[in-house]
């Protein structure tokens, strides 16, 4: 047979072609129509380890017996074919230029084309390109891409899931599928007791799963807190491998779940088909385990927080119940006390009046017969039931204010003041000035009249010696921000037995508009330290001893204002007079 | 005539689908919903209508009693999708070397099958060059072809659907011919229509 060198040496073009073919960085082979080798270039010699002289004239299918004929037959029919490495791996089974793995074949991209002469197919040309290195790099990139994709998928699912622990099984199945594992086993440690127990497992038969509840080799890893790879498990003779061996596991990796040196559990993946777990797989699993450990820790903290919150809520509820019970009991007691004070006051009225009457009879009928000192004693004695009568009257007023049902209604202040002044002595009537117009408020009319009467009486009483009283009643609209003040609670009755019942209110009324009514005097005033307790029962000003009184007037004011849902207070300085105020919703 | 042409291409496509299914292990079907013949001067505007942006064009020159240029045009996304479906490899870097080869091979199989069907009809042997892949605008791909051969005047545009698993990828197979080749083809096609389709 004529060699290709001989056949082409005649023309310069043929020499050029021959040079290209021999020096090309590709495998170039030409065949005759019977698939016998016509030419075999240097690249082919190098990569196939077959010398040209040994292959020329041989059928390609004798040299490579497993070769698929179809592309060659198509070339004989005039077709040119491209054979990609992704779909074919290789055309000719040549050894890989890479050392590892041993026995691997070269990745090739090949072209099979007809050689034509005057429209007739006279042979076939094969061009083979070695793409092994490119493919290894590309596969490494794909592996890295899949790895990153799996990490983001896992992280995304853990972050998005409302119940990450439930999500874990799904994640383990995905990891197992992607990294070619057949089983997974996860243990979690009870945060309270520290006991490690099987949390979930996949790929195990129902009979095998209970064995893993106490698998010594895995428990040891969890205690040692160090990652361990178990290669060639089936060859291990130690008894602690019995559980793994029984489940056909050939290699496994056990990773402790650690967060800030706290051991939360253990994650184990096993395979049935391989005896070795690679470094890259281990690294990826370590990162995934860190994600999972953080999630487990976060969930455990969340559960503990929820538990604490629930305990706190239960405690709060218990406390609330206790407070309710005690409030109810207190309310009952107060109610009974109020009833008692009312009854006492009511029952004391007649004997006190009798006492007064008898004192008067004694003075009128027998005054002349008594020695002067005895008459003086009797006169002094007669003043006591008078004071007692006033005190009883005040106590009854206070009791009435506390027990009366309160319904708020629209009340004009001016007529109320007029009415109360009509019942006062002329000097009081003359002392009072109203700064008109006085506002209209939402109040209980009787209670409001009682409040204003007490304030006016107070102002009229506590005047400076030798000075006529001077009292001013005015009103002003205040903003909601300034109406939060409510006077000190009464010492005697801190609970609302009957909260105010609002009546139908006009639709155009601003719910926050409030009216402050001032009752100002130029009397003796009250020192600052008494302001906070002057509204208590039986409380009187330091310099008030010189004035008669029961210490009940302002307590009635405070109680009435509380019942109406209003506020009260004062501004006062000794010797400069006092300005008492009450506050009610505007009408 | 259009029905006969569609039928002939379907015969070629059946062979291509079989070869692709065999190669990939997935059941692949090729369908021809639309065939048209256009003058080469209309092609540029026609292509502008049907394919936007960059395309992957697998081009093979064929010669013999009929000669011309055959191209499979897939828009960029369709080509990458097809590669993904056939190989299960993610296309991270777009058209890397492996993806380019796969698209070239798929184009090669489809073009060979289609042109082979024409050869069988005409009872002549048609020879093909090795396919080449271009990734650029459809206009540029077309320009490369027409610059090379001024005698090419007509184009058969064959809309092509690849059905793989549950997905579908669409592209266009374009066969550009000279007037003589087209007349020969049409003449033979009419005879075949008379014989085969009645």
């Amino acid at each position: 047979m004529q060699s290709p060198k001989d056949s082409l040496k005649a023309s310069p073009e043929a020499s050029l072609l021959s040079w290209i073919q021999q020096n090309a960085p590709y495998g170039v082979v030409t065949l005759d129509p019977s698939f016998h080798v016509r030419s075999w270039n240097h690249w082919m010699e190098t990569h196939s380890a077959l010398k040209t002289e040994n292959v020329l004239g041989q059928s390609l299918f004798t040299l490579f017996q497993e070769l698929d004929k179809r592309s060659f037959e198509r070339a004989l029919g005039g077709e040119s074919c491209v054979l990609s490495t992704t779909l074919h791996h290789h055309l000719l089974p040549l050894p890989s230029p890479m050392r590892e793995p041993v026995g691997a074949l070269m990745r090739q991209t090949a072209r099979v084309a007809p050689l034509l002469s005057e429209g007739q197919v006279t042979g076939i040309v094969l061009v083979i390109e070695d793409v092994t290195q490119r493919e290894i790099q590309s596969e490494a990139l794909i592996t890295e891409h899949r790895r990153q994709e799996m990490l983001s998928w896992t992280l995304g699912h853990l972050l998005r899931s409302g119940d990450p622990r439930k999500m874990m099984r799904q994640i383990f199945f995905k990891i197992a599928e992607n990294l070619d594992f057949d089983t997974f086993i996860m243990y979690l440690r009870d945060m309270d007791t520290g006991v490690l127990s099987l949390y979930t497992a996949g790929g195990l038969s129902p009979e095998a799963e209970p064995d893993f509840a106490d698998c010594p080799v895995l428990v040891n890893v969890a205690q040692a807190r160090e990652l361990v790879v178990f290669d060639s498990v089936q060859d291990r003779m130690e008894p602690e491998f019995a559980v793994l061996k029984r489940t056909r596991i050939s290699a496994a990796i056990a990773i402790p779940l650690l967060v800030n040196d706290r051991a939360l559990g253990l994650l184990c993946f096993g395979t049935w088909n391989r005896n070795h777990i690679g470094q890259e797989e281990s690294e990826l699993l370590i990162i995934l385990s860190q994600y999972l450990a953080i999630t487990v820790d976060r969930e455990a903290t969340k559960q503990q927080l929820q538990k604490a919150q629930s305990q706190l809520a239960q405690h709060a509820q218990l406390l609330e119940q206790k407070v309710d019970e005690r409030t109810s009991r207190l309310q009952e007691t107060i109610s009974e006390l109020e009833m008692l004070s009312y009854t006492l006051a009511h029952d004391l009225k007649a004997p006190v009046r009798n006492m007064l009457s008898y004192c008067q009879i004694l003075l009128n009928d027998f005054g002349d017969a008594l020695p002067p000192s005895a008459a003086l004693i009797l006169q002094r004695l007669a003043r006591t039931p008078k004071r007692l009568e006033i005190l009883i009257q005040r106590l009854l007023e206070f009791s009435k204010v506390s027990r009366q049902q309160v319904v708020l209604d629209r009340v004009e202040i001016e007529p109320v003041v007029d009415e109360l002044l009509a019942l006062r002595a002329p000097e009081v009537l003359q002392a009072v000035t109203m700064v008109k117009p006085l506002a209209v408020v939402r109040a209980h009319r009787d209670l409001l009249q009682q409040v204003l009467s007490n304030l006016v009486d107070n102002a009229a009483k506590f005047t400076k010696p030798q000075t006529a009283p001077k009292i001013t009643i005015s009103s002003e609209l205040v903003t909601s921000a300034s109406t939060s003040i409510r006077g000190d609670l009464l010492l005697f009755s801190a609970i609302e037995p009957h909260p105010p019942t609002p009546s139908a209110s006009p639709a155009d009324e601003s719910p926050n508009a409030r009216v402050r009514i001032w009752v100002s005097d130029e009397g003796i005033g009250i020192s600052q330290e008494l302001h906070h307790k002057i509204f208590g029962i039986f409380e009187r000003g330091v310099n008030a001893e010189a004035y008669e009184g029961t210490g009940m007037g302002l307590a009635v004011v405070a109680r009435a204002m509380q019942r109406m849902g209003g506020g009260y207070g004062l501004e006062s300085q000794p010797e400069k007079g006092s300005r008492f105020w009450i506050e009610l919703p505007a009408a | 005539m259009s029905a006969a042409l569609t039928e002939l291409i379907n015969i070629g496509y059946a062979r291509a689908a079989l070869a692709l299914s065999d190669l990939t292990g997935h059941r692949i079907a090729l369908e021809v919903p639309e065939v048209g013949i256009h003058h080469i001067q209309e092609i540029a505007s026609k292509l502008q209508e049907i394919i936007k942006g960059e395309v992957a064009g697998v081009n093979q020159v064929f010669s013999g009693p009929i000669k011309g240029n055959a191209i499979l045009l897939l828009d960029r996304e369709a080509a990458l999708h097809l590669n993904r479906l056939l190989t299960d490899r993610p296309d991270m870097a777009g058209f890397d070397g492996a993806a380019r080869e796969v698209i070239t091979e798929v184009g090669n199989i489809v073009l060979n099958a289609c042109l082979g069907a024409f050869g069988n009809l005409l009872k002549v042997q048609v020879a093909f060059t090795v396919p080449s892949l271009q990734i650029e605008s459809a206009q540029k791909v077309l320009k490369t072809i027409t610059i090379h051969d001024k005698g090419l005047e007509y184009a058969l545009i064959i809309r092509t659907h690849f059905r793989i698993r549950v997905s579908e990828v669409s592209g266009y197979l374009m066969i550009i011919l000279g007037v003589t080749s087209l007349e020969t083809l049409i003449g033979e096609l009419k005879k075949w229509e008379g014989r085969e389709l009645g």
Side-chain angles (χ1 to χ4, degrees):
Chain A
M1 180 180 280
Q2 196 182 32
S3 80
K5 283 177 190 166
D6 295 336
S7 65
L8 293 171
K9 69 183 169 190
S11 71
E13 291 81 5
S15 303
L16 177 64
L17 277 175
S18 172
W19 186 90
I20 291 172
Q21 186 194 350
Q22 283 308 312
N23 295 288
Y26 311 113
V28 181
V29 179
T30 53
L31 306 174
D32 68 16
S34 316
F35 310 123
H36 291 104
V37 177
R38 265 189 192 156
S39 70
W40 190 260
N41 75 344
H42 179 66
W43 188 97
M44 285 302 298
E45 278 192 339
T46 310
H47 290 87
S48 69
L50 294 170
K51 293 284 175 197
T52 308
E53 54 268 30
N54 296 334
V55 296
L56 288 183
Q58 298 270 348
S59 163
L60 192 68
F61 298 100
T62 310
L63 293 169
F64 300 99
Q65 291 181 358
E66 303 285 313
L67 208 53
D68 185 351
K69 261 190 176 173
R70 281 177 295 185
S71 305
F72 299 89
E73 282 164 351
R74 279 160 62 190
L76 283 185
E79 289 183 19
S80 296
C81 300
V82 170
L83 307 174
S84 64
T85 188
T86 313
L87 297 177
H88 299 267
H89 193 280
H90 60 266
L91 175 65
L92 300 181
L94 305 179
S96 166
M98 315 300 286
R99 285 183 187 170
E100 287 182 351
V102 179
L105 295 176
M106 180 196 286
R107 307 291 306 259
Q108 299 163 6
T109 296
R111 287 165 183 81
V112 183
L115 287 171
L116 298 165
S117 176
E118 296 173 359
Q120 294 302 311
V121 178
T122 58
I124 298 168
V125 59
L126 317 184
V127 178
I128 298 168
E129 187 183 349
D130 175 11
V131 292
T132 311
Q133 236 167 356
R134 185 195 80 185
E135 284 302 294
I136 287 172
Q137 280 168 359
S138 169
E139 275 160 14
L141 269 176
I142 290 170
T143 306
E144 182 56 25
H145 174 80
R146 288 199 166 131
R147 188 186 142 114
Q148 292 300 333
E149 202 176 49
M150 194 159 67
L151 287 173
S152 345
W153 183 89
T154 306
L155 195 59
H157 276 69
L158 287 175
L159 289 175
R160 270 201 308 272
S161 170
D163 188 350
R165 284 202 183 197
K166 275 191 184 166
M167 178 59 67
M168 281 185 189
R169 267 185 79 79
Q170 200 183 330
I171 289 169
F172 296 151
F173 276 115
K174 172 109 175 170
I175 293 171
E177 187 191 330
N178 274 269
L179 299 183
D180 191 23
F181 284 107
D182 302 294
T183 58
F184 62 81
I185 305 125
M186 186 189 191
Y187 296 88
L188 283 183
R189 200 177 288 283
D190 186 299
M191 299 309 280
D192 296 327
T193 63
V195 174
L196 191 74
S197 55
L198 181 65
Y199 175 68
T200 186
L204 295 174
S205 66
E207 306 86 60
E209 204 170 306
D211 289 349
F212 280 88
D214 184 23
C215 176
V217 75
L218 296 181
V219 171
N220 290 344
V221 175
Q223 279 165 355
R225 299 177 170 213
E226 293 285 339
L227 174 141
V228 180
V229 174
F230 302 109
D231 285 340
S232 305
V233 170
Q234 293 299 321
D235 299 339
R236 306 292 287 257
M237 302 310 290
E238 301 95 310
E240 59 262 36
F241 282 91
V243 174
L244 298 185
K245 285 170 83 174
R246 270 204 302 276
T247 43
R248 295 195 292 125
I249 288 174
S250 52
I253 179 168
I255 312 156
L257 298 173
L258 300 172
V259 172
N260 297 332
D261 212 32
R262 277 178 290 121
L264 307 173
L266 179 84
L267 182 59
C268 174
F269 281 92
T271 168
W272 298 331
N273 309 311
R274 296 178 285 147
N275 280 322
H276 175 68
I277 290 170
Q279 180 70 24
E280 284 186 4
E281 285 172 286
S282 303
E283 282 168 8
L284 178 59
L285 284 172
I286 290 170
I287 299 173
L288 287 165
S289 300
Q290 280 167 353
Y291 288 173
L292 295 165
I294 291 167
T295 308
V296 167
D297 189 45
R298 200 183 59 181
E299 282 303 296
T301 312
K302 199 168 133 189
Q303 277 177 7
Q304 278 178 337
L305 192 69
Q306 278 172 347
K307 199 172 151 188
Q309 277 173 339
S310 159
Q311 282 172 345
L312 208 62
Q314 275 178 0
H315 189 62
Q317 203 178 358
L318 204 69
L319 271 181
E320 210 170 313
Q321 265 177 8
K322 278 187 182 169
V323 168
D324 281 350
E325 280 168 20
R326 284 178 191 176
T327 305
S328 172
R329 282 207 297 275
L330 190 62
Q331 199 169 332
E332 222 169 273
T333 310
I334 288 167
S335 207
E336 283 166 6
L337 279 173
E338 281 180 350
M339 178 56 89
L340 180 69
S341 77
Y342 176 79
T343 311
L344 277 174
H346 188 267
D347 291 355
L348 278 173
K349 256 172 101 175
V352 167
R353 185 155 292 162
N354 286 345
M355 209 190 294
L356 182 61
S357 301
Y358 284 118
C359 282
Q360 291 297 336
I361 292 167
L362 267 176
L363 278 171
N364 292 341
D365 295 356
F366 305 102
D368 296 342
L370 291 172
S373 57
L376 191 65
I377 289 168
L378 198 58
Q379 276 169 359
R380 283 183 182 162
L381 185 67
R383 281 207 292 274
T384 304
K386 265 189 191 167
R387 286 196 63 217
L388 271 175
E389 196 177 23
I390 295 166
L391 186 60
I392 287 165
Q393 184 56 37
R394 292 294 185 215
L395 274 171
L396 285 172
E397 277 171 11
F398 183 81
S399 192
K400 187 183 164 195
V401 164
S402 299
R403 300 169 63 78
Q404 192 164 23
Q405 194 181 353
V406 175
V407 178
L408 300 185
D409 217 337
R410 187 177 184 279
V411 179
E412 289 181 26
I413 299 171
E414 284 176 30
V416 172
V417 175
D418 285 339
E419 276 173 37
L420 76 92
L421 289 179
L423 300 171
R424 297 297 178 276
E427 59 269 25
V428 176
L429 186 62
Q430 283 168 6
V432 174
T433 310
M434 274 195 276
V435 182
K436 293 183 179 178
L438 289 177
V440 181
V441 291
R442 295 190 60 73
H444 183 274
R445 198 177 196 283
D446 289 351
L447 287 186
L448 181 60
Q449 191 167 32
Q450 181 74 62
V451 166
L452 290 173
S453 299
N454 288 12
L455 290 176
V456 167
D457 289 346
N458 222 41
K461 185 165 46 174
F462 294 104
T463 53
K464 291 172 194 161
Q466 314 303 322
T467 313
K470 200 170 175 187
I471 304 164
T472 309
I473 301 176
S474 61
S475 67
E476 63 176 344
L477 203 64
V478 289
T479 60
S480 57
S482 65
T483 58
S484 57
I485 309 150
R486 253 181 110 172
D488 294 332
L489 291 178
L490 286 178
L491 301 176
F492 187 64
S493 181
I495 295 155
E496 290 285 336
H498 308 290
T501 311
S503 65
S505 56
D508 58 347
E509 184 185 307
S510 163
N512 292 326
R514 292 175 77 89
V515 169
R516 190 172 276 198
I517 304 157
W518 293 91
V519 178
S520 315
D521 63 57
E522 294 177 0
I524 58 171
I526 301 161
S527 59
Q528 182 73 32
E529 62 270 22
L530 290 176
H531 286 192
H532 73 284
K533 60 177 189 179
I534 195 77
F535 287 96
I537 290 176
F538 306 131
E539 292 290 349
R540 307 194 70 209
V542 174
N543 45 3
E545 289 83 13
Y547 302 84
E548 275 206 10
T550 58
M552 286 295 294
L554 289 179
V556 170
V557 168
R559 187 76 186 120
M561 289 315 296
Q562 284 176 345
R563 297 295 319 277
M564 289 191 285
Y568 54 91
L570 82 155
E571 292 171 1
S572 181
Q573 278 187 344
E575 302 304 319
K576 289 191 175 173
S578 300
R579 297 181 75 219
F580 284 87
W581 59 264
I582 57 168
E583 206 171 274
L584 286 161
Chain B
M1 228 291 289
S2 171
L5 188 58
T6 306
E7 183 60 28
L8 183 67
I9 293 161
N10 269 328
I11 292 169
Y13 273 13
R15 182 189 134 190
L18 192 66
L20 283 170
S21 303
D22 216 21
L23 195 59
T24 60
H26 301 302
R27 193 182 169 278
I28 296 169
L30 280 167
E31 289 166 7
V32 185
E34 202 180 317
V35 179
I37 301 176
H38 302 268
H39 192 269
I40 196 81
Q41 282 170 351
E42 299 166 20
I43 294 298
S45 58
K46 180 76 184 166
L47 280 183
Q48 245 171 0
E49 270 173 41
I50 57 179
I51 297 188
K52 309 278 179 213
E54 250 183 7
V55 296
V58 183
N59 179 18
Q60 272 185 279
V61 176
F62 57 96
S63 55
I66 60 162
K67 57 183 182 178
N69 214 320
I71 316 158
L72 177 71
L73 290 170
L74 297 164
D75 74 43
R76 190 187 163 81
E77 286 312 310
L80 288 172
H81 190 200
L82 190 62
N83 174 50
R84 217 163 36 233
L85 289 169
L86 294 173
T87 63
D88 285 328
R89 281 165 68 129
D91 44 51
M92 305 158 323
F95 286 105
D96 61 0
R100 292 173 78 96
E101 284 170 8
V102 169
I103 295 301
T104 309
E105 182 168 357
V106 170
N108 179 224
I109 290 171
V110 174
L111 294 174
N112 280 355
C114 190
L115 294 172
F118 286 179
N120 287 342
L121 168 75
L122 302 172
K123 294 184 183 62
V124 292
Q125 193 170 58
V126 183
F128 318 90
T129 59
V130 175
S132 62
L133 176 75
Q134 281 173 275
I135 295 170
E136 49 198 344
S137 74
Q139 308 305 314
K140 279 192 182 164
V141 174
L142 190 68
K143 213 169 177 180
T144 324
I145 298 157
T146 48
I147 283 169
H148 288 158
D149 195 340
K150 298 285 179 197
L152 300 176
E153 288 174 65
Y154 289 93
L156 297 179
I157 297 187
I158 302 149
R159 188 150 180 219
T160 304
H161 285 339
F162 293 81
R163 286 191 189 281
I164 306 160
R165 304 185 219 178
V166 290
S167 289
E168 185 184 292
V169 175
S170 289
Y172 292 89
L173 196 145
M174 203 159 68
I175 299 170
I176 303 171
L177 302 154
V179 65
T180 322
S181 294
L182 183 67
E183 277 170 3
T184 312
L185 182 67
I186 290 172
E188 287 302 322
L189 204 56
K190 277 182 179 161
K191 283 188 219 162
W192 182 74
E193 191 178 15
R195 278 198 315 270
E196 298 289 318
L197 305 176

